[in-house]
Amino acid sequence: MKKIMTLGGFAILALSLTLGQDRINPSNRAGGNDIRTLRQLKLTDDQRKSIGTIRFELRKKTVDQQARIKTARLECAELFKAAEPLQSAIQKKVAEISQLQSQQRLLLIDHWFTVNKLLTPDQQIVWKQVSGRLWAEQKARAVRGRAQE
């Protein structure tokens, strides 16, 4: 009986981790969009290689930035747990988190413009249409996610 309960517990844990993966890492959902976008752009081999390098660098910077944000959030939570929480320290940490989030958004904007410079005028038209749609979808997902919380 104990084995069945343990196995059941592991199964539920595995299922919850699998289902929660999209919430943890939204880029998993966007992977298909990236492939469709690249196909629509009809990139040359050189463009494909350059954009691949640019995207890799963005992903590295994003992971680093997300780690900084999560660390700052943990530190902020600890400030609240203090015997006598200091409002000024908490406000300073919240401002730091906001700054880090802003920097992360700016990374995406820099990425967009860097890729845009590599494209021909025809490709730029497609890039603008597709990215505008993807930004709108991402915003809608974020709003839905907040509504579910």
Side-chain angles (χ1 to χ4, degrees):
M1 184 66 164
K2 236 180 182 178
K3 286 183 180 181
I4 293 173
M5 294 295 285
T6 303
L7 288 174
F10 281 123
I12 290 172
L13 176 64
L15 181 62
S16 65
L17 290 174
T18 302
L19 293 176
Q21 190 65 34
D22 280 350
R23 293 277 317 209
I24 294 168
N25 187 1
S27 65
N28 288 345
R29 287 189 297 243
N33 290 330
D34 291 345
I35 293 167
R36 284 190 297 274
T37 300
L38 293 176
R39 284 186 187 143
Q40 289 176 355
L41 290 173
K42 299 176 184 167
L43 300 170
T44 65
D45 288 339
D46 287 342
Q47 287 174 318
R48 214 180 294 281
K49 196 178 294 183
S50 296
I51 290 173
T53 302
I54 292 166
R55 289 180 67 215
F56 176 71
E57 290 302 317
L58 171 69
R59 290 170 61 194
K60 285 192 327 187
K61 290 175 186 175
T62 301
V63 166
D64 180 54
Q65 198 67 15
Q66 288 172 346
R68 291 174 195 229
I69 291 168
K70 287 179 181 180
T71 300
R73 285 180 178 159
L74 288 171
E75 292 168 350
C76 188
E78 286 300 310
L79 291 172
F80 273 104
K81 291 179 184 177
E84 293 185 31
L86 294 173
Q87 182 177 359
S88 61
I90 293 170
Q91 288 173 332
K92 184 177 178 182
K93 188 56 69 174
V94 168
E96 178 187 335
I97 293 168
S98 294
Q99 181 67 29
L100 291 168
Q101 290 172 327
S102 177
Q103 290 170 357
Q104 185 172 358
R105 288 183 192 101
L106 292 175
L107 285 174
L108 294 173
I109 293 168
D110 290 344
H111 169 76
W112 190 91
F113 279 99
T114 303
V115 170
N116 193 56
K117 287 178 188 175
L118 294 174
L119 303 175
T120 66
D122 290 339
Q123 290 171 324
Q124 287 176 354
I125 292 169
V126 173
W127 175 243
K128 289 173 188 172
Q129 291 170 344
V130 171
S131 6
R133 187 171 9 99
L134 292 176
W135 282 83
E137 289 172 6
Q138 181 182 24
K139 183 68 175 171
R141 275 195 307 269
V143 169
R144 280 194 308 268
R146 281 193 287 264
Q148 291 174 355
E149 291 176 351

PDB file of all heavy atoms in Angstrom, residues 53 60 73 82 99 106 108 127 141 143:
ATOM      1  N   THR A  53      22.641  33.217 -33.762  1.00  0.00           N
ATOM      2  CA  THR A  53      23.628  33.715 -32.804  1.00  0.00           C
ATOM      3  C   THR A  53      23.025  34.813 -31.927  1.00  0.00           C
ATOM      4  O   THR A  53      23.219  34.819 -30.704  1.00  0.00           O
ATOM      5  CB  THR A  53      24.864  34.261 -33.551  1.00  0.00           C
ATOM      6  OG1 THR A  53      25.406  33.218 -34.369  1.00  0.00           O
ATOM      7  CG2 THR A  53      25.917  34.770 -32.595  1.00  0.00           C
ATOM      8  N   LYS A  60      20.810  33.850 -23.313  1.00  0.00           N
ATOM      9  CA  LYS A  60      21.769  33.862 -22.205  1.00  0.00           C
ATOM     10  C   LYS A  60      21.540  35.075 -21.309  1.00  0.00           C
ATOM     11  O   LYS A  60      21.507  34.962 -20.085  1.00  0.00           O
ATOM     12  CB  LYS A  60      23.205  33.888 -22.738  1.00  0.00           C
ATOM     13  CG  LYS A  60      23.665  32.578 -23.289  1.00  0.00           C
ATOM     14  CD  LYS A  60      25.167  32.486 -23.559  1.00  0.00           C
ATOM     15  CE  LYS A  60      25.858  33.722 -23.984  1.00  0.00           C
ATOM     16  NZ  LYS A  60      27.263  33.529 -24.372  1.00  0.00           N
ATOM     17  N   ARG A  73      13.607  39.158  -5.707  1.00  0.00           N
ATOM     18  CA  ARG A  73      12.294  38.860  -5.122  1.00  0.00           C
ATOM     19  C   ARG A  73      12.438  38.061  -3.831  1.00  0.00           C
ATOM     20  O   ARG A  73      11.719  38.296  -2.857  1.00  0.00           O
ATOM     21  CB  ARG A  73      11.431  38.098  -6.122  1.00  0.00           C
ATOM     22  CG  ARG A  73      10.900  38.972  -7.223  1.00  0.00           C
ATOM     23  CD  ARG A  73      10.058  38.173  -8.186  1.00  0.00           C
ATOM     24  NE  ARG A  73       9.510  39.031  -9.230  1.00  0.00           N
ATOM     25  CZ  ARG A  73       9.097  38.603 -10.394  1.00  0.00           C
ATOM     26  NH1 ARG A  73       9.143  37.311 -10.688  1.00  0.00           N
ATOM     27  NH2 ARG A  73       8.613  39.440 -11.288  1.00  0.00           N
ATOM     28  N   ALA A  82      11.359  40.036   8.411  1.00  0.00           N
ATOM     29  CA  ALA A  82      12.145  40.555   9.528  1.00  0.00           C
ATOM     30  C   ALA A  82      11.235  40.853  10.724  1.00  0.00           C
ATOM     31  O   ALA A  82      10.041  41.118  10.572  1.00  0.00           O
ATOM     32  CB  ALA A  82      12.879  41.830   9.103  1.00  0.00           C
ATOM     33  N   GLN A  99      13.497  47.931 -11.825  1.00  0.00           N
ATOM     34  CA  GLN A  99      14.591  48.277 -12.729  1.00  0.00           C
ATOM     35  C   GLN A  99      15.075  47.052 -13.493  1.00  0.00           C
ATOM     36  O   GLN A  99      15.299  47.109 -14.709  1.00  0.00           O
ATOM     37  CB  GLN A  99      15.743  48.911 -11.937  1.00  0.00           C
ATOM     38  CG  GLN A  99      16.931  49.324 -12.782  1.00  0.00           C
ATOM     39  CD  GLN A  99      16.609  50.455 -13.730  1.00  0.00           C
ATOM     40  OE1 GLN A  99      15.749  51.278 -13.464  1.00  0.00           O
ATOM     41  NE2 GLN A  99      17.297  50.492 -14.847  1.00  0.00           N
ATOM     42  N   LEU A 106      13.876  45.755 -22.136  1.00  0.00           N
ATOM     43  CA  LEU A 106      14.741  46.465 -23.084  1.00  0.00           C
ATOM     44  C   LEU A 106      15.624  45.489 -23.870  1.00  0.00           C
ATOM     45  O   LEU A 106      15.946  45.744 -25.029  1.00  0.00           O
ATOM     46  CB  LEU A 106      15.587  47.507 -22.362  1.00  0.00           C
ATOM     47  CG  LEU A 106      14.804  48.695 -21.798  1.00  0.00           C
ATOM     48  CD1 LEU A 106      15.721  49.616 -20.992  1.00  0.00           C
ATOM     49  CD2 LEU A 106      14.098  49.466 -22.902  1.00  0.00           C
ATOM     50  N   LEU A 108      14.654  42.640 -24.972  1.00  0.00           N
ATOM     51  CA  LEU A 108      13.797  42.164 -26.062  1.00  0.00           C
ATOM     52  C   LEU A 108      13.678  43.205 -27.172  1.00  0.00           C
ATOM     53  O   LEU A 108      13.688  42.872 -28.352  1.00  0.00           O
ATOM     54  CB  LEU A 108      12.413  41.814 -25.530  1.00  0.00           C
ATOM     55  CG  LEU A 108      12.362  40.623 -24.575  1.00  0.00           C
ATOM     56  CD1 LEU A 108      10.967  40.471 -23.984  1.00  0.00           C
ATOM     57  CD2 LEU A 108      12.794  39.356 -25.274  1.00  0.00           C
ATOM     58  N   TRP A 127       8.275  40.736 -40.682  1.00  0.00           N
ATOM     59  CA  TRP A 127       8.774  40.746 -39.305  1.00  0.00           C
ATOM     60  C   TRP A 127       7.902  41.637 -38.424  1.00  0.00           C
ATOM     61  O   TRP A 127       7.535  41.256 -37.312  1.00  0.00           O
ATOM     62  CB  TRP A 127      10.226  41.212 -39.325  1.00  0.00           C
ATOM     63  CG  TRP A 127      10.912  41.399 -38.008  1.00  0.00           C
ATOM     64  CD1 TRP A 127      11.401  42.567 -37.510  1.00  0.00           C
ATOM     65  CD2 TRP A 127      11.247  40.406 -37.044  1.00  0.00           C
ATOM     66  NE1 TRP A 127      12.007  42.367 -36.300  1.00  0.00           N
ATOM     67  CE2 TRP A 127      11.923  41.035 -35.988  1.00  0.00           C
ATOM     68  CE3 TRP A 127      11.031  39.035 -36.964  1.00  0.00           C
ATOM     69  CZ2 TRP A 127      12.396  40.359 -34.868  1.00  0.00           C
ATOM     70  CZ3 TRP A 127      11.489  38.355 -35.842  1.00  0.00           C
ATOM     71  CH2 TRP A 127      12.164  39.013 -34.813  1.00  0.00           C
ATOM     72  N   ARG A 141      -1.782  36.510 -22.978  1.00  0.00           N
ATOM     73  CA  ARG A 141      -1.460  35.376 -22.095  1.00  0.00           C
ATOM     74  C   ARG A 141      -1.104  35.875 -20.697  1.00  0.00           C
ATOM     75  O   ARG A 141      -1.490  35.284 -19.696  1.00  0.00           O
ATOM     76  CB  ARG A 141      -0.293  34.571 -22.656  1.00  0.00           C
ATOM     77  CG  ARG A 141      -0.703  33.536 -23.665  1.00  0.00           C
ATOM     78  CD  ARG A 141       0.412  32.526 -23.914  1.00  0.00           C
ATOM     79  NE  ARG A 141       1.682  33.088 -24.263  1.00  0.00           N
ATOM     80  CZ  ARG A 141       2.108  33.324 -25.489  1.00  0.00           C
ATOM     81  NH1 ARG A 141       1.335  33.043 -26.503  1.00  0.00           N
ATOM     82  NH2 ARG A 141       3.288  33.824 -25.728  1.00  0.00           N
ATOM     83  N   VAL A 143      -2.110  38.614 -19.235  1.00  0.00           N
ATOM     84  CA  VAL A 143      -3.325  39.079 -18.570  1.00  0.00           C
ATOM     85  C   VAL A 143      -4.149  37.884 -18.083  1.00  0.00           C
ATOM     86  O   VAL A 143      -4.626  37.873 -16.957  1.00  0.00           O
ATOM     87  CB  VAL A 143      -4.152  39.983 -19.518  1.00  0.00           C
ATOM     88  CG1 VAL A 143      -5.527  40.255 -18.945  1.00  0.00           C
ATOM     89  CG2 VAL A 143      -3.412  41.281 -19.770  1.00  0.00           C
TER      90      VAL A 143
END
